[in-house]
Amino acid sequence: MIEIGINKALHGADGAMDLSVNLHIKEGEFVALSGKSGSGKTTLLRILAGLEEASGSIKIHNKFWLQENKSLPVQKREIGFVFQDYALFENMTIEKNLLFVNNNKALADKLLQLTELHELKYRYPNSLSGGQKQRVSICRALMKKPKILLLDEPLSALDANMRTKLQNELLSLHKEFGTTTIMVSHDPSEIYRLANRVIVLQNGKVINDGSPKKVLLKTQGSQKFSFEGELLDIKKVDVIYIAIIAIGQQLVEVVVSSEEAKNLQIGNIVNVSTKAFNPILT
Ligand SMILES: Nc1ncnc2c1ncn2[C@@H]1O[C@H](COP(=O)(O)OP(=O)(O)OP(=O)(O)O)[C@@H](O)[C@H]1O
């Protein structure tokens, strides 16, 4: 069990903000950490890794990493950390990048096989694609057999195909090693595929915590469909009003009543939902 009860005063975009988080995470869980920019996600990961100070306590499998003012140094915390920007050692081959962390050749070979990097093990990072580099970072983070794997938006710099491929690899690695994982992600489909729990932060506090289905699905009650979008414009056409709404990368038009048109403001985040039709998937 991982028991976190930490506090830290931060300078948020709108002034002082307290990062105040109490969480219990079970061994082997895959937790997605979500929330708006500036809500404290990266800071929480850095506090767990010992890269940043905080008050409170962090207890990992009955061992305190932080208690009162005593903090276990970074190198003694059994943590694997993967950042968005790879952070590989450019002057070392892929294999050396892994062995530098832990000189366990059998484990390095196994990880490189699992992630289809074996052929590239004598290459240097600068000759690899972004996706390949990130796979090396993930393997390197697992070389220490960490108690927790911390992933800070590890796939956000990659294109959609590579993201899906690496999501599958993260899933296989999690199945194989069962490492407790906390991953910052903004992508609902990624969270749904990988995580068994989602924690949403807002202004330094946990505002939602539950299964991806419970936290992410927007349909409630009798609604058949519900999408969240941004209201871009409202046009009056003859006697009706049409709202233009951006949902993801798509624009949709929705007829609204004059009353609704009066109450809506451009820039509003709105839910577009419907109860009574059967969609056709093509
Ligand atoms: N050491 C620090 N001391 C004080 N304030 C800090 C410190 N580190 C970060 N902050 C501030 O705390 C807030 C939260 O930052 P953090 O990087 O944790 O957010 P985030 O949720 O990861 O955001 P993003 O999704 O944009 O990466 C920001 O306003 C940041 O400027």
Side-chain angles (χ1 to χ4, degrees):
M1 181 70 84
I2 296 168
E3 294 162 61
I4 303 164
I6 55 99
N7 274 287
K8 184 179 176 83
L10 297 177
H11 306 297
D14 303 321
M17 154 179 127
D18 263 339
L19 178 67
S20 174
V21 174
N22 288 292
L23 283 176
H24 283 190
I25 296 171
K26 284 196 229 111
E27 213 167 316
E29 272 197 295
F30 197 124
V31 176
L33 193 57
S34 197
K36 288 193 185 135
S37 178
S39 55
K41 304 176 298 292
T42 298
T43 308
L44 177 59
L45 293 198
R46 289 174 54 81
I47 290 170
L48 288 174
L51 295 166
E52 204 142 336
E53 289 177 359
S55 57
S57 66
I58 300 171
K59 194 172 161 195
I60 314 273
H61 307 165
N62 291 322
K63 187 174 174 188
F64 278 103
W65 285 7
L66 176 71
Q67 189 183 25
E68 285 152 20
N69 285 331
K70 272 193 267 157
S71 174
L72 197 69
V74 187
Q75 57 281 14
K76 293 221 170 127
R77 297 189 185 202
E78 292 154 276
I79 266 195
F81 208 140
V82 177
F83 306 89
Q84 193 182 323
D85 61 359
Y86 324 128
L88 295 173
F89 306 122
E90 294 293 333
N91 59 338
M92 291 184 197
T93 63
I94 301 315
E95 187 186 46
K96 289 258 167 61
N97 261 276
L98 268 56
L99 296 176
F100 180 81
V101 174
N102 173 6
N103 198 17
N104 179 340
K105 216 160 173 332
L107 179 60
D109 272 346
K110 183 173 177 175
L111 284 164
L112 292 172
Q113 295 281 8
L114 276 170
T115 50
E116 295 173 18
L117 287 171
H118 212 255
E119 303 290 306
L120 307 177
K121 69 179 182 178
Y122 300 123
R123 299 251 295 261
Y124 285 83
N126 63 9
S127 70
L128 263 51
S129 72
Q132 288 165 337
K133 282 190 210 177
Q134 197 55 307
R135 271 135 89 196
V136 178
S137 314
I138 295 167
C139 290
R140 193 179 60 177
L142 287 169
M143 280 301 288
K144 275 198 285 181
K145 298 195 180 157
K147 292 264 189 313
I148 320 180
L149 181 61
L150 302 175
L151 307 167
D152 196 356
E153 299 193 60
L155 311 183
S156 57
L158 307 174
D159 67 40
N161 282 341
M162 189 47 79
R163 281 179 87 116
T164 312
K165 194 168 161 42
L166 262 74
Q167 284 163 7
N168 288 335
E169 284 177 8
L170 275 173
L171 265 183
S172 331
L173 290 168
H174 189 250
K175 249 192 212 143
E176 177 85 20
F177 294 90
T179 313
T180 311
T181 303
I182 306 177
M183 177 183 72
V184 174
S185 176
H186 295 285
D187 176 349
S189 64
E190 178 169 290
I191 294 173
Y192 196 88
R193 296 184 71 202
L194 295 175
N196 63 297
R197 179 174 171 193
V198 191
I199 291 166
V200 185
L201 282 187
Q202 186 178 301
N203 290 326
K205 315 276 181 305
V206 174
I207 56 152
N208 212 342
D209 181 353
S211 68
K213 202 167 168 195
K214 181 178 150 257
V215 175
L216 299 173
L217 277 184
K218 300 285 182 199
T219 42
Q220 288 155 5
S222 59
Q223 292 166 351
K224 293 261 169 72
F225 258 119
S226 182
F227 298 104
E228 201 172 67
E230 183 187 349
L231 179 65
L232 297 182
D233 199 7
I234 299 180
K235 293 186 302 190
K236 187 163 190 280
V237 180
D238 300 328
V239 290
I240 59 166
Y241 290 87
I242 295 177
I244 316 286
I245 297 160
I247 299 175
Q249 299 296 312
Q250 301 210 28
L251 297 187
V252 293
E253 293 181 320
V254 177
V255 176
V256 292
S257 67
S258 60
E259 196 57 31
E260 285 170 318
K262 242 191 279 163
N263 292 328
L264 287 166
Q265 278 184 7
I266 308 301
N268 277 167
I269 299 299
V270 293
N271 273 315
V272 181
S273 53
T274 178
K275 291 181 183 175
F277 74 94
N278 286 323
I280 301 162
L281 299 181
T282 50

PDB file of all heavy atoms in Angstrom, residues 8-13 17 36-43 52 153 186, ligand 1:
ATOM      1  N   LYS A   8       1.862  21.256   0.292  1.00  0.00           N
ATOM      2  CA  LYS A   8       2.916  22.171  -0.158  1.00  0.00           C
ATOM      3  C   LYS A   8       2.266  23.449  -0.674  1.00  0.00           C
ATOM      4  O   LYS A   8       1.291  23.387  -1.428  1.00  0.00           O
ATOM      5  CB  LYS A   8       3.743  21.518  -1.272  1.00  0.00           C
ATOM      6  CG  LYS A   8       4.920  22.375  -1.707  1.00  0.00           C
ATOM      7  CD  LYS A   8       5.738  21.697  -2.789  1.00  0.00           C
ATOM      8  CE  LYS A   8       6.846  22.598  -3.293  1.00  0.00           C
ATOM      9  NZ  LYS A   8       8.054  22.603  -2.495  1.00  0.00           N
ATOM     10  N   ALA A   9       2.823  24.587  -0.229  1.00  0.00           N
ATOM     11  CA  ALA A   9       2.293  25.862  -0.725  1.00  0.00           C
ATOM     12  C   ALA A   9       2.913  26.140  -2.087  1.00  0.00           C
ATOM     13  O   ALA A   9       4.124  26.090  -2.245  1.00  0.00           O
ATOM     14  CB  ALA A   9       2.652  26.974   0.252  1.00  0.00           C
ATOM     15  N   LEU A  10       2.053  26.390  -3.072  1.00  0.00           N
ATOM     16  CA  LEU A  10       2.543  26.662  -4.424  1.00  0.00           C
ATOM     17  C   LEU A  10       2.122  28.056  -4.874  1.00  0.00           C
ATOM     18  O   LEU A  10       1.152  28.624  -4.342  1.00  0.00           O
ATOM     19  CB  LEU A  10       1.966  25.639  -5.418  1.00  0.00           C
ATOM     20  CG  LEU A  10       2.330  24.170  -5.219  1.00  0.00           C
ATOM     21  CD1 LEU A  10       1.598  23.317  -6.241  1.00  0.00           C
ATOM     22  CD2 LEU A  10       3.827  23.957  -5.345  1.00  0.00           C
ATOM     23  N   HIS A  11       2.825  28.588  -5.870  1.00  0.00           N
ATOM     24  CA  HIS A  11       2.406  29.859  -6.468  1.00  0.00           C
ATOM     25  C   HIS A  11       1.614  29.515  -7.717  1.00  0.00           C
ATOM     26  O   HIS A  11       2.194  29.312  -8.784  1.00  0.00           O
ATOM     27  CB  HIS A  11       3.623  30.702  -6.841  1.00  0.00           C
ATOM     28  CG  HIS A  11       4.569  30.909  -5.703  1.00  0.00           C
ATOM     29  ND1 HIS A  11       4.193  31.589  -4.573  1.00  0.00           N
ATOM     30  CD2 HIS A  11       5.845  30.500  -5.497  1.00  0.00           C
ATOM     31  CE1 HIS A  11       5.209  31.600  -3.722  1.00  0.00           C
ATOM     32  NE2 HIS A  11       6.217  30.933  -4.254  1.00  0.00           N
ATOM     33  N   GLY A  12       0.321  29.429  -7.597  1.00  0.00           N
ATOM     34  CA  GLY A  12      -0.521  29.092  -8.748  1.00  0.00           C
ATOM     35  C   GLY A  12      -0.672  30.289  -9.669  1.00  0.00           C
ATOM     36  O   GLY A  12      -0.235  31.396  -9.344  1.00  0.00           O
ATOM     37  N   ALA A  13      -1.303  30.061 -10.835  1.00  0.00           N
ATOM     38  CA  ALA A  13      -1.492  31.139 -11.808  1.00  0.00           C
ATOM     39  C   ALA A  13      -2.361  32.259 -11.223  1.00  0.00           C
ATOM     40  O   ALA A  13      -2.200  33.429 -11.542  1.00  0.00           O
ATOM     41  CB  ALA A  13      -2.122  30.582 -13.076  1.00  0.00           C
ATOM     42  N   MET A  17      -1.579  28.846  -3.733  1.00  0.00           N
ATOM     43  CA  MET A  17      -2.435  27.662  -3.822  1.00  0.00           C
ATOM     44  C   MET A  17      -1.780  26.560  -3.001  1.00  0.00           C
ATOM     45  O   MET A  17      -0.565  26.420  -3.005  1.00  0.00           O
ATOM     46  CB  MET A  17      -2.531  27.293  -5.297  1.00  0.00           C
ATOM     47  CG  MET A  17      -2.815  25.865  -5.611  1.00  0.00           C
ATOM     48  SD  MET A  17      -2.900  25.662  -7.405  1.00  0.00           S
ATOM     49  CE  MET A  17      -1.750  24.337  -7.618  1.00  0.00           C
ATOM     50  N   LYS A  36      -6.618  20.078 -14.927  1.00  0.00           N
ATOM     51  CA  LYS A  36      -6.199  21.185 -15.794  1.00  0.00           C
ATOM     52  C   LYS A  36      -4.734  21.551 -15.572  1.00  0.00           C
ATOM     53  O   LYS A  36      -4.155  21.208 -14.532  1.00  0.00           O
ATOM     54  CB  LYS A  36      -7.065  22.412 -15.482  1.00  0.00           C
ATOM     55  CG  LYS A  36      -8.464  22.253 -15.983  1.00  0.00           C
ATOM     56  CD  LYS A  36      -9.187  23.589 -15.949  1.00  0.00           C
ATOM     57  CE  LYS A  36     -10.626  23.374 -16.350  1.00  0.00           C
ATOM     58  NZ  LYS A  36     -11.575  24.064 -15.501  1.00  0.00           N
ATOM     59  N   SER A  37      -4.196  22.288 -16.536  1.00  0.00           N
ATOM     60  CA  SER A  37      -2.828  22.769 -16.424  1.00  0.00           C
ATOM     61  C   SER A  37      -2.685  23.592 -15.142  1.00  0.00           C
ATOM     62  O   SER A  37      -3.544  24.412 -14.823  1.00  0.00           O
ATOM     63  CB  SER A  37      -2.530  23.633 -17.652  1.00  0.00           C
ATOM     64  OG  SER A  37      -1.250  24.149 -17.555  1.00  0.00           O
ATOM     65  N   GLY A  38      -1.626  23.340 -14.409  1.00  0.00           N
ATOM     66  CA  GLY A  38      -1.367  24.106 -13.189  1.00  0.00           C
ATOM     67  C   GLY A  38      -2.071  23.563 -11.960  1.00  0.00           C
ATOM     68  O   GLY A  38      -2.023  24.163 -10.887  1.00  0.00           O
ATOM     69  N   SER A  39      -2.724  22.408 -12.079  1.00  0.00           N
ATOM     70  CA  SER A  39      -3.465  21.884 -10.916  1.00  0.00           C
ATOM     71  C   SER A  39      -2.557  21.177  -9.911  1.00  0.00           C
ATOM     72  O   SER A  39      -2.972  20.868  -8.804  1.00  0.00           O
ATOM     73  CB  SER A  39      -4.583  20.934 -11.381  1.00  0.00           C
ATOM     74  OG  SER A  39      -4.058  19.903 -12.180  1.00  0.00           O
ATOM     75  N   GLY A  40      -1.306  20.895 -10.293  1.00  0.00           N
ATOM     76  CA  GLY A  40      -0.348  20.338  -9.335  1.00  0.00           C
ATOM     77  C   GLY A  40       0.101  18.917  -9.626  1.00  0.00           C
ATOM     78  O   GLY A  40       0.765  18.289  -8.798  1.00  0.00           O
ATOM     79  N   LYS A  41      -0.204  18.410 -10.826  1.00  0.00           N
ATOM     80  CA  LYS A  41       0.096  17.000 -11.150  1.00  0.00           C
ATOM     81  C   LYS A  41       1.607  16.718 -11.140  1.00  0.00           C
ATOM     82  O   LYS A  41       2.064  15.796 -10.464  1.00  0.00           O
ATOM     83  CB  LYS A  41      -0.496  16.634 -12.525  1.00  0.00           C
ATOM     84  CG  LYS A  41      -1.986  16.891 -12.626  1.00  0.00           C
ATOM     85  CD  LYS A  41      -2.517  16.624 -14.016  1.00  0.00           C
ATOM     86  CE  LYS A  41      -1.945  17.485 -15.115  1.00  0.00           C
ATOM     87  NZ  LYS A  41      -2.317  18.917 -15.064  1.00  0.00           N
ATOM     88  N   THR A  42       2.353  17.529 -11.891  1.00  0.00           N
ATOM     89  CA  THR A  42       3.808  17.293 -11.962  1.00  0.00           C
ATOM     90  C   THR A  42       4.448  17.477 -10.593  1.00  0.00           C
ATOM     91  O   THR A  42       5.322  16.706 -10.194  1.00  0.00           O
ATOM     92  CB  THR A  42       4.446  18.264 -12.989  1.00  0.00           C
ATOM     93  OG1 THR A  42       3.880  17.973 -14.263  1.00  0.00           O
ATOM     94  CG2 THR A  42       5.945  18.096 -13.067  1.00  0.00           C
ATOM     95  N   THR A  43       3.991  18.484  -9.855  1.00  0.00           N
ATOM     96  CA  THR A  43       4.570  18.724  -8.528  1.00  0.00           C
ATOM     97  C   THR A  43       4.335  17.517  -7.626  1.00  0.00           C
ATOM     98  O   THR A  43       5.243  17.098  -6.899  1.00  0.00           O
ATOM     99  CB  THR A  43       3.962  20.004  -7.907  1.00  0.00           C
ATOM    100  OG1 THR A  43       4.082  21.059  -8.847  1.00  0.00           O
ATOM    101  CG2 THR A  43       4.670  20.381  -6.623  1.00  0.00           C
ATOM    102  N   GLU A  52      11.307  17.251  -4.899  1.00  0.00           N
ATOM    103  CA  GLU A  52      10.764  18.493  -4.362  1.00  0.00           C
ATOM    104  C   GLU A  52      10.338  18.257  -2.917  1.00  0.00           C
ATOM    105  O   GLU A  52       9.871  17.166  -2.591  1.00  0.00           O
ATOM    106  CB  GLU A  52       9.546  18.885  -5.202  1.00  0.00           C
ATOM    107  CG  GLU A  52       9.288  20.316  -5.138  1.00  0.00           C
ATOM    108  CD  GLU A  52       8.820  20.884  -6.498  1.00  0.00           C
ATOM    109  OE1 GLU A  52       9.105  20.312  -7.570  1.00  0.00           O
ATOM    110  OE2 GLU A  52       8.168  21.884  -6.433  1.00  0.00           O
ATOM    111  N   GLU A 153       3.076  12.535 -18.529  1.00  0.00           N
ATOM    112  CA  GLU A 153       2.634  12.690 -19.929  1.00  0.00           C
ATOM    113  C   GLU A 153       3.630  12.046 -20.897  1.00  0.00           C
ATOM    114  O   GLU A 153       4.124  12.708 -21.809  1.00  0.00           O
ATOM    115  CB  GLU A 153       2.467  14.167 -20.271  1.00  0.00           C
ATOM    116  CG  GLU A 153       1.420  14.838 -19.405  1.00  0.00           C
ATOM    117  CD  GLU A 153       1.038  16.199 -19.938  1.00  0.00           C
ATOM    118  OE1 GLU A 153       0.564  16.256 -21.080  1.00  0.00           O
ATOM    119  OE2 GLU A 153       1.212  17.186 -19.220  1.00  0.00           O
ATOM    120  N   HIS A 186      -3.902  13.540 -20.139  1.00  0.00           N
ATOM    121  CA  HIS A 186      -5.093  14.358 -20.397  1.00  0.00           C
ATOM    122  C   HIS A 186      -6.011  13.655 -21.382  1.00  0.00           C
ATOM    123  O   HIS A 186      -7.032  14.196 -21.765  1.00  0.00           O
ATOM    124  CB  HIS A 186      -4.692  15.700 -21.024  1.00  0.00           C
ATOM    125  CG  HIS A 186      -3.884  16.550 -20.123  1.00  0.00           C
ATOM    126  ND1 HIS A 186      -4.429  17.227 -19.069  1.00  0.00           N
ATOM    127  CD2 HIS A 186      -2.567  16.819 -20.097  1.00  0.00           C
ATOM    128  CE1 HIS A 186      -3.480  17.890 -18.446  1.00  0.00           C
ATOM    129  NE2 HIS A 186      -2.342  17.650 -19.039  1.00  0.00           N
TER     130      HIS A 186
HETATM  131  N1  LIG B   1       8.500  24.607  -6.262  1.00  0.00           N
HETATM  132  C1  LIG B   1       7.410  25.351  -6.464  1.00  0.00           C
HETATM  133  N2  LIG B   1       7.118  26.366  -5.623  1.00  0.00           N
HETATM  134  C2  LIG B   1       6.021  27.116  -5.810  1.00  0.00           C
HETATM  135  N3  LIG B   1       5.155  26.957  -6.816  1.00  0.00           N
HETATM  136  C3  LIG B   1       5.391  25.970  -7.688  1.00  0.00           C
HETATM  137  C4  LIG B   1       6.520  25.091  -7.557  1.00  0.00           C
HETATM  138  N4  LIG B   1       6.500  24.193  -8.553  1.00  0.00           N
HETATM  139  C5  LIG B   1       5.393  24.476  -9.298  1.00  0.00           C
HETATM  140  N5  LIG B   1       4.737  25.541  -8.783  1.00  0.00           N
HETATM  141  C6  LIG B   1       3.479  26.129  -9.292  1.00  0.00           C
HETATM  142  O1  LIG B   1       2.442  25.233  -8.932  1.00  0.00           O
HETATM  143  C7  LIG B   1       1.444  25.155  -9.949  1.00  0.00           C
HETATM  144  C8  LIG B   1       1.253  23.701 -10.343  1.00  0.00           C
HETATM  145  O2  LIG B   1       2.311  23.297 -11.202  1.00  0.00           O
HETATM  146  P1  LIG B   1       2.420  21.823 -11.825  1.00  0.00           P
HETATM  147  O3  LIG B   1       3.553  21.841 -12.804  1.00  0.00           O
HETATM  148  O4  LIG B   1       2.463  20.841 -10.734  1.00  0.00           O
HETATM  149  O5  LIG B   1       1.022  21.711 -12.582  1.00  0.00           O
HETATM  150  P2  LIG B   1       0.509  20.608 -13.599  1.00  0.00           P
HETATM  151  O6  LIG B   1      -0.845  20.212 -13.140  1.00  0.00           O
HETATM  152  O7  LIG B   1       1.525  19.532 -13.760  1.00  0.00           O
HETATM  153  O8  LIG B   1       0.394  21.454 -14.929  1.00  0.00           O
HETATM  154  P3  LIG B   1       0.641  21.034 -16.497  1.00  0.00           P
HETATM  155  O9  LIG B   1      -0.501  20.124 -16.871  1.00  0.00           O
HETATM  156  O10 LIG B   1       0.592  22.362 -17.199  1.00  0.00           O
HETATM  157  O11 LIG B   1       1.994  20.378 -16.569  1.00  0.00           O
HETATM  158  C9  LIG B   1       1.916  26.040 -11.077  1.00  0.00           C
HETATM  159  O12 LIG B   1       1.205  27.270 -11.013  1.00  0.00           O
HETATM  160  C10 LIG B   1       3.405  26.232 -10.804  1.00  0.00           C
HETATM  161  O13 LIG B   1       3.846  27.486 -11.237  1.00  0.00           O
END
